[in-house]
Amino acid sequence: FLAERSNLAGVRHILLVLSGKGGVGKSTISMELALSLRHSGKKVGILDVDLCGPSIPRMFRVQDNDVHQCDSGWVPVFVDQDKSISLMSIGFLLEKPDDAVVWRGPKKNALIKQFVGDVAWGDLDFLIVDTPPGTSDEHISTVEALRPYKPLGAILVTTPQAVSVGDVRRELTFCKKTGLRVLGIVENMSGFVCPHCSECTNIFSKGGGEELARHAGVPFLGCVPLDPQLSQSLEEGRDFIQEFPKSSAFPALAHITQQILNGTSQRSS
Amino acid sequence: AEAAELRERLRSVKHSILVLSGKGGVGKSTFSALLAHGLAADETKQVALLDIDICGPSIPKMMGLEGEQVHQSGSGWSPVYVEENLGVMSVGFLLSSPDDAVIWRGPKKNGLIKQFLRDVDWGEIDYLIVDTPPGTSDEHLSIVQYLSATHIDGAVIITTPQEVSLQDVRKEINFCHKVKLPIIGVVENMSGFICPKCKNESQIFPPTTGGAEKMCQNLNVSLLGKVPLDPQIGKSCDKGQSFLSEAPESPATVSYRNIIQRIQEYCDQHHFHEEKII
């Protein structure tokens, strides 16, 4: 118990990124939020508890890194020299990247407890917890394990169409039932501006996320458009925030980060 | 005894197809719904669509069946029928409100999946399509285990072109090999977008590592087809209408129809092969 306390004791704010729906951009938002926070001078950790589909290591181009142990537990993987962003994911523990983690719930729960308690994060301003879609073992176990450390809350990501919003409504219920504060909803993949002619097409519809926030009485953090430069950056493990400040998704991502920072300064005061 | 019960119930299923992906949000449910509509277009065929995504059941909405409830009869639970020859089952029908969350751990989810197979009165079915959640966990292990009471023709694996998806899909392919589930083939969804105004193509989800084509070559599985992005697809899903009927001229419809035909041919060959053995 003492060891657990010391590993998360240096973390100022814990933030979960959730969605009922798969493929809406949880890992993308987790990563971009981490990059934005770094550019604001913060030290950030990302804990990737998606055991079946861990996306985070590759997005930072560190998927081939190994994880080492120290006295207080696992040493997280740093993405760069100045150690401003650190990661932990099952992706680092796989022998081969194509190995499937075919585990039932209890085994997943055991690893998540370890991930929450046994990673030597050190001092962090923010720990972002990226989750798989759903409301099952991973989510229940993660929230239970984090409860003593009083997380700041959860950001819920959706895409605009009704089919996604339908699942995210259930995730809101999950948050209510588990006592997890909802910091707000992000409507991702909200519109696509053709780079050739600037025509905007709502490929995945528009407005569902904003409407859900209004209906549920939670803050709406903003719409992030589909941006091929963002997808390309994720594929190549690049720092989108640093390299593409003029890109269409940048203002929205910066605005989301600012609202999170505003939220934390309010909490401190 | 339980296995015998399942075997008895599933005896009347001619073909079963699992729709899988390691990755979320690539279009499994969309594809499952369209496959069901496509196969049920032949009125002589009886089609069943089973949604085992317990936490995020999308199928009721996509099939225009939101708000429907399941009825019990002497012979078990009745599926909800879209057409006379197309029946659907999903946890969505057991929830009374769209805000209800199913916050269950693995074992409870497995129990419901078993009930869906054992207690639903499907009748004689030509095609059982099973829509799954993303991943390689309880639901996937359970459905393969329970369906071993009948035989599974194979899995259709859905992906999008970018490496972030492919890396999860390779794991799913490995899962199939591990549990000896044949792979009918891979569908590459969201494969390019043609601007309706200027007709230029954008790769919104870029195939930086060669897309599904390269992956299929490397792993020796069939590429069933590529489907482009079409804003009408999402709209039709939200309205609970079949995209194939609503946009028959769309290039995406042409792709989907070709893929569905290939799946049908695969199943027919399979059936023929089994008859030969007998």
Side-chain angles (χ1 to χ4, degrees), chain A residues 20-189:
Chain A
K21 187 85 183 69
V24 295
K26 289 175 290 307
S27 299
T28 301
I29 296 291
S30 297
M31 179 186 185
E32 300 309 321
L33 191 53
L35 292 171
S36 295
L37 288 167
R38 171 169 74 180
H39 285 289
S40 305
K42 305 295 179 193
K43 272 193 89 180
V44 187
I46 304 183
L47 174 58
D48 175 7
V49 298
D50 189 340
L51 303 183
C52 297
S55 303
I56 294 289
R58 199 175 185 285
M59 286 180 173
F60 281 98
R61 237 191 332 205
V62 290
Q63 66 271 31
D64 296 327
N65 282 40
D66 285 321
V67 160
H68 305 285
Q69 295 249 355
C70 66
D71 283 339
S72 26
W74 287 336
V75 180
V77 173
F78 293 103
V79 311
D80 57 10
Q81 299 264 354
D82 42 285
K83 301 196 172 185
S84 47
I85 297 182
S86 49
L87 313 175
M88 181 50 67
S89 166
I90 200 178
F92 299 127
L93 305 175
L94 299 172
E95 271 198 36
K96 280 177 274 168
D98 296 343
D99 279 348
V101 173
V102 186
W103 293 354
R104 289 192 183 273
K107 209 166 168 185
K108 291 198 283 189
N109 298 335
L111 184 63
I112 286 174
K113 261 205 213 132
Q114 275 198 279
F115 270 179
V116 172
D118 295 352
V119 176
W121 294 106
D123 288 327
L124 291 177
D125 293 295
F126 287 90
L127 177 63
I128 298 170
V129 183
D130 183 26
T131 63
T135 49
S136 189
D137 288 277
E138 295 87 331
H139 314 85
I140 301 169
S141 298
T142 301
V143 170
E144 266 174 20
L146 286 175
R147 206 186 296 279
Y149 307 99
K150 300 197 184 18
L152 186 61
I155 294 179
L156 269 61
V157 184
T158 187
T159 48
Q161 77 267 52
V163 161
S164 291
V165 169
D167 285 347
V168 178
R169 286 177 78 161
R170 306 187 202 278
E171 199 75 20
L172 280 168
T173 304
F174 171 84
C175 292
K176 211 183 290 189
K177 284 200 163 156
T178 54
L180 190 54
R181 185 167 146 235
V182 175
L183 300 172
I185 291 178
V186 171
E187 181 177 304
N188 202 15
M189 306 198 199

Side-chain angles (χ1 to χ4, degrees), chain A residues 192-210:
Chain A
F192 172 67
V193 177
C194 176
H196 304 278
C197 71
S198 298
E199 167 89 349
C200 181
T201 308
N202 292 327
I203 300 181
F204 300 115
S205 197
K206 184 119 179 118
E210 184 159 13

Side-chain angles (χ1 to χ4, degrees), chain B residues 199-266:
Chain B
K199 310 296 182 204
N200 279 303
E201 190 180 26
S202 291
Q203 292 294 344
I204 297 181
F205 302 111
T208 59
T209 56
E213 193 156 1
K214 186 102 192 291
M215 178 189 72
C216 288
Q217 265 168 23
N218 289 344
L219 298 179
N220 202 22
V221 296
S222 240
L223 177 63
L224 294 172
K226 299 191 203 186
V227 185
L229 276 163
D230 182 332
Q232 186 60 44
I233 298 175
K235 282 207 188 91
S236 296
C237 285
D238 279 358
K239 285 197 309 183
Q241 300 293 321
S242 165
F243 168 72
L244 304 176
S245 312
E246 295 235 297
E249 307 293 313
S250 166
T253 298
V254 175
S255 295
Y256 276 132
R257 286 208 185 280
N258 284 336
I259 292 167
I260 292 170
Q261 186 166 342
R262 288 185 69 174
I263 294 172
Q264 222 161 345
E265 284 164 8
Y266 177 96

